Amino acid sequence: MENDSFKSGFVALAGKPNVGKSTLINALLGQKVVIVSDKTQTTRNRVNCILTEDHYQIVFVDTPGIHKPIRKIGEYMVNIAINALKGVDLILFIIDAKDGLRNSDLRVTEIVDKSKIPTILLVNKVDLVKDKEKINLMTEKIQSLCSNIVKTIEISALTGKNLSELKQSIIDLLPEGPQYYPEDMITDKPSRFIISELIREKIFHLTKEEIPHSSGVVVEELKERENGVLYVRAEIYVEKKSQKPIIIGKNGSMIKKIGQLARQDIEELFERKVYLDLYVKVREKWRDDKNILNNIMEYKIEEIKD
């Protein structure tokens, strides 16, 4: 695409866990690309999500929430988030109007300030807060601690409030540049990664307590059968033997529900019939195992061919 006025760039999202980063990206792209959950630390990887229009291409960099890590997986996630801020053109720093400012927000503020990258401060979930003074005090505090902020916008990723203004502000701040990805590409992640994330999202939605964070998903096999059906074999890792029957459920009810919901999303994404084969395996302390983390977090697997 050759156009003298074409603008492009990488826009990283920064914020504490569960502040609404993934919901915002899906809203700006107008479709579901990254998984969302009301539980913290749902996002474990850096995912580039691509929005291409006639005169611009925005590459949103979705990252894990920046938090104080306890396990090896937590350290991995925080390192991914911090490194994702390097070399981008713009940062969207998101805070939660309903939650108020926490120490975790101040940790993110320090990291964003050190980046020296132009930043738009986004106050999310303003639809849930009637106290305007509370919002003003939050923004003033962050602005006093972060010298990179070039604009502040109050938004609601859920209702769409001020997202058009946000999109235009991003375009205005991006430099003229090339089209980095084909116009029909919406993410840079391989098919297996996206499928594993969709399965993991259902585990987050359907299970409670320690189960979501103790589980991981690896797609072991992905192939198109002669009849055109996409065959997917995935393994769900849990840390304890006691967690395995919870994922499976009584008479297989839970894993069946996980499979049904995930299959619907996979079929919508790939626009074809899907046969999803799920297995549950116990991998003790997998969240502290570097070999498993390298496989789950950022494995490189070739795309399925149409």
Side-chain angles (χ1 to χ4, degrees):
M1 184 184 297
E2 302 235 341
N3 191 318
D4 290 339
S5 62
F6 193 82
K7 304 188 83 175
S8 64
F10 290 77
V11 180
L13 283 80
K16 65 185 179 185
N18 207 32
V19 78
K21 296 185 293 295
S22 298
T23 302
L24 176 59
I25 285 181
N26 288 337
L28 289 169
L29 267 67
Q31 60 182 308
K32 183 176 182 177
V33 182
V34 284
I35 69 171
V36 295
S37 166
D38 59 359
K39 298 179 176 69
T40 60
Q41 298 172 35
T42 305
T43 302
R44 287 177 177 163
N45 287 272
R46 166 180 172 150
V47 182
N48 285 353
C49 304
I50 304 141
L51 176 62
T52 307
E53 298 292 347
D54 289 342
H55 302 297
Y56 65 86
Q57 183 175 80
I58 306 171
V59 183
F60 292 103
V61 184
D62 190 26
T63 62
I66 296 173
H67 61 285
K68 188 174 181 180
I70 298 172
R71 294 174 174 271
K72 186 69 70 178
I73 191 172
E75 293 175 16
Y76 198 110
M77 289 160 63
V78 171
N79 286 334
I80 288 172
I82 292 173
N83 287 328
L85 302 186
K86 297 175 182 177
V88 298
D89 300 283
L90 183 67
I91 293 173
L92 303 183
F93 176 16
I94 310 174
I95 57 176
D96 186 329
K98 184 173 182 290
D99 204 25
L101 287 185
R102 305 290 178 92
N103 287 334
S104 49
D105 293 296
L106 301 182
R107 274 198 293 271
V108 181
T109 305
E110 185 179 351
I111 292 165
V112 171
D113 184 53
K114 285 180 180 177
S115 75
K116 303 303 177 189
I117 293 169
T119 299
I120 299 177
L121 177 63
L122 299 179
V123 189
N124 192 23
K125 307 180 186 179
V126 292
D127 53 312
L128 303 177
V129 178
K130 293 181 179 179
D131 186 354
K132 183 70 175 176
E133 185 61 23
K134 177 185 177 181
I135 295 174
N136 290 338
L137 289 172
M138 289 174 66
T139 57
E140 287 169 9
K141 176 69 172 177
I142 297 294
Q143 288 166 347
S144 71
L145 295 172
C146 186
S147 58
N148 313 339
I149 295 172
V150 295
K151 189 166 188 176
T152 298
I153 306 175
E154 297 176 11
I155 66 165
S156 170
L158 204 58
T159 68
K161 178 182 174 65
N162 290 337
L163 294 194
S164 294
E165 179 190 345
L166 169 59
K167 190 183 292 186
Q168 188 57 54
S169 298
I170 293 170
I171 295 166
D172 292 342
L173 289 165
L174 286 183
E176 291 187 6
Q179 181 176 310
Y180 293 100
Y181 296 97
E183 58 191 49
D184 60 347
M185 194 170 176
I186 58 170
T187 179
D188 66 339
K189 288 296 183 184
S191 301
R192 294 196 188 204
F193 173 85
I194 298 300
I195 290 170
S196 69
E197 287 287 271
L198 291 172
I199 296 167
R200 194 166 64 85
E201 180 187 54
K202 308 314 170 194
I203 298 170
F204 263 73
H205 283 312
L206 295 171
T207 62
K208 299 176 182 177
E209 296 171 1
E210 85 278 7
I211 299 297
H213 300 293
S214 298
S215 61
V217 180
V218 174
V219 174
E220 294 287 355
E221 190 174 355
L222 177 64
K223 65 182 180 182
E224 185 175 348
R225 290 177 167 171
E226 290 182 2
N227 59 2
V229 172
L230 187 64
Y231 174 75
V232 180
R233 181 171 67 84
E235 292 183 356
I236 299 171
Y237 290 168
V238 292
E239 288 189 317
K240 302 174 185 176
K241 289 182 180 178
S242 60
Q243 294 169 340
K244 185 173 179 178
I246 296 173
I247 291 283
I248 294 173
K250 187 177 181 180
N251 298 323
S253 59
M254 178 59 76
I255 198 165
K256 184 178 180 182
K257 187 69 173 174
I258 291 168
Q260 285 176 338
L261 294 176
R263 180 174 52 79
Q264 289 171 8
D265 278 0
I266 299 166
E267 287 183 340
E268 185 174 334
L269 184 66
F270 289 93
E271 298 181 339
R272 69 185 74 180
K273 289 288 185 181
V274 170
Y275 185 92
L276 180 58
D277 221 355
L278 294 180
Y279 297 87
V280 185
K281 292 193 174 182
V282 179
R283 293 283 186 270
E284 292 184 6
K285 298 183 179 178
W286 73 262
R287 286 183 289 175
D288 290 312
D289 187 316
K290 284 185 178 179
N291 292 328
I292 292 178
L293 289 177
N294 285 335
N295 195 25
I296 283 184
M297 301 292 285
E298 285 289 354
Y299 53 88
K300 303 285 188 286
I301 301 171
E302 69 178 273
E303 295 275 12
I304 63 165
K305 301 293 188 290
D306 287 330

